[in-house]
């Protein structure tokens, strides 16, 4: 089929790669504008742009989709189907109506649960035992279109959102390949979503990473996992910020924030306790919690403060 691909981050790259491997014609790739990255603000292209240019695919990076320019371009390109994977922009109705075989999206959750910008992170934050990817026809709503198919996978209790991203990306490519085959053959189903089961997954904000040791250890462990790698979770030690990269649930009881053990570093929570495995002191690189404890000269009974 003649396709237009719309996507931006690493998560979308396996899907574009699979489309090319399957022999579809990609008339163009739409992606977000290049962004400054790092201390020197080096202008850096999105991963999808890099792969598209390697294969000689024309790349377009419109800042807006509602001024008519992108619509006119897409009508000229005349794709049979538009594929959207983590593009980061909402397609207006005028664009959704262009391809005769529809616009389809690969979404990183089991719809209708976790509609929105951060489905993978919220699945981990909420301690879900299972997630997956969903292929759906797009409509004007936020991830509300009819579903075509899903692939499910369990979430191990210590897996981070970043690790889950890496596992779901190839599953999304596998599902997309099957979906496009069905669309081309005219056998793709339309499965309406159950609105009664719908939940949202809003974009994460930096302040959401603040830890509250008054909460149960299980909730804090999931918060750390779900916000790794971004925005990361923090608490305070001796008036300085301490970033927490990796934790483990542990037995224990005490005043929330109280250090119950130094080896391993274990902190009391509102329910149970949390072992800190990998931390990052303010202004320093990440390190094993045991190494930080030695340098910080902490004692059993000292307290870490909320983030």
């Amino acid at each position: 089929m003649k396709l237009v691909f719309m996507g931006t981050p690493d998560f979308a790259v396996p899907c574009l790669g699979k489309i090319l491997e399957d022999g579809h014609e990609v008339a163009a790739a739409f992606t977000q504008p290049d962004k400054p990255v790092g201390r020197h603000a080096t202008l850096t292209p999105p991963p999808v742009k890099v792969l598209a240019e390697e294969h000689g695919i024309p790349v377009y990076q419109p800042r807006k989709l509602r001024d008519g320019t992108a619509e006119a371009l897409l009508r000229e390109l005349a794709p049979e189907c538009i594929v959207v994977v983590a593009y980061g922009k909402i397609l207006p109705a005028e664009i959704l109506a262009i391809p005769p075989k529809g616009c389809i999206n690969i979404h990183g959750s089991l719809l209708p649960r976790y509609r929105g910008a951060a489905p993978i992170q919220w699945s981990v934050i909420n301690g879900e035992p299972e997630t997956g990817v969903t292929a759906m026809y797009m409509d004007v709503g936020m991830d509300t279109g009819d579903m075509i198919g899903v692939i499910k996978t369990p979430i191990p209790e210590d897996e981070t959102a970043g690790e889950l991203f890496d596992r779901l990306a190839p599953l999304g490519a596998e599902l997309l390949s099957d979906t496009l085959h069905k669309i081309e053959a005219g056998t793709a189903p339309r499965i309406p979503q159950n609105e009664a089961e719908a939940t949202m997954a809003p974009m994460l904000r930096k302040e959401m990473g603040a830890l509250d040791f008054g909460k149960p250890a299980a909730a804090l462990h999931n918060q750390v996992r779900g916000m790794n790698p971004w925005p990361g979770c923090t608490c305070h030690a001796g008036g300085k910020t301490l970033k927490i990269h990796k934790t483990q649930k542990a037995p224990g009881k005490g005043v929330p924030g109280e250090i119950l053990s130094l080896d391993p570093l274990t902190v009391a929570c509102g329910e149970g306790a949390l072992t800190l495995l990998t931390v990052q002191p303010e202004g320093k690189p990440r390190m094993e919690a045991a190494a930080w404890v030695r340098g910080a000269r902490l004692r059993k009974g000292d307290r870490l403060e909320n983030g």
Side-chain angles (χ1 to χ4, degrees):
M1 278 192 296
K2 184 180 182 182
L3 308 174
V4 163
F5 185 84
M6 296 184 173
T8 299
D10 288 323
F11 183 78
V13 168
C15 284
L16 177 56
K18 186 61 176 172
I19 285 173
L20 295 169
E21 182 184 319
D22 287 350
H24 295 286
E25 176 190 351
V26 182
F30 280 59
T31 189
Q32 294 270 30
D34 296 3
K35 289 185 177 180
V37 173
R39 183 178 299 177
H40 301 292
T42 305
L43 204 59
T44 304
V48 163
K49 178 180 180 179
V50 173
L51 179 61
E53 289 185 337
E54 286 175 358
H55 289 270
I57 299 168
V59 175
Y60 300 95
Q61 298 172 278
R63 296 192 176 275
K64 297 180 180 179
L65 294 181
R66 298 181 182 275
D67 62 3
T69 305
E71 179 188 352
L73 174 59
L74 285 164
R75 290 192 183 281
E76 184 178 336
L77 290 169
E80 296 173 75
C81 181
I82 293 176
V83 175
V84 181
V85 186
Y87 179 32
K89 290 183 181 293
I90 296 174
L91 274 58
E94 307 83 67
I95 288 179
L96 292 173
I98 290 173
K101 294 184 179 178
C103 297
I104 63 168
N105 174 240
I106 299 297
H107 185 75
S109 78
L110 300 176
L111 291 172
R113 293 178 61 78
Y114 299 109
R115 295 171 174 171
I120 297 172
Q121 296 95 320
W122 282 106
S123 294
V124 176
I125 292 168
N126 290 338
E128 297 287 355
E130 181 182 60
T131 188
V133 285
T134 302
M136 55 169 281
Y137 286 103
M138 299 177 70
D139 61 16
V140 293
M142 176 68 78
D143 301 320
T144 56
D146 291 343
M147 298 182 295
I148 303 167
V150 301
I151 294 179
K152 298 180 179 181
T153 185
I155 306 177
E157 67 171 23
D158 291 322
E159 186 171 46
T160 67
E163 291 165 345
L164 183 55
F165 261 96
D166 291 342
R167 284 204 304 113
L168 289 182
L171 294 182
E174 179 186 336
L175 180 60
L176 175 60
S177 177
D178 179 67
T179 298
L180 290 175
H181 174 76
K182 288 177 179 175
I183 288 175
E184 196 167 22
T187 60
R190 281 187 172 269
I191 307 165
Q193 295 188 37
N194 184 349
E195 289 298 320
E197 297 178 356
T199 60
M200 298 304 296
M203 189 175 295
L204 298 184
R205 303 187 308 275
K206 193 170 184 179
E207 58 268 25
M208 290 177 176
L211 294 177
D212 178 356
F213 289 110
K215 293 181 178 180
L220 295 181
H221 177 60
N222 292 339
Q223 183 182 356
V224 171
R225 295 191 301 130
M227 298 195 178
N228 182 341
W230 194 91
C233 286
T234 58
C235 64
H236 288 92
K240 294 187 176 182
T241 300
L242 180 69
K243 198 166 189 177
I244 311 299
H245 290 285
K246 190 174 182 181
T247 61
Q248 196 172 59
K249 292 179 290 184
K253 190 175 183 180
V255 178
E258 178 186 356
I259 295 176
L260 303 177
S261 167
L262 295 174
D263 186 18
L265 177 59
T266 303
V267 183
C269 302
E271 181 182 308
L274 196 66
T275 295
L276 311 186
L277 299 174
T278 309
V279 301
Q280 185 171 357
E282 192 173 312
K284 295 183 179 180
R286 69 172 64 191
M287 62 183 70
E288 296 300 313
W292 173 70
V293 166
R294 289 192 295 270
R297 298 180 180 176
L298 293 174
R299 296 177 297 179
K300 186 176 178 181
D302 288 348
R303 289 182 63 184
L304 300 184
E305 303 296 330
N306 293 339

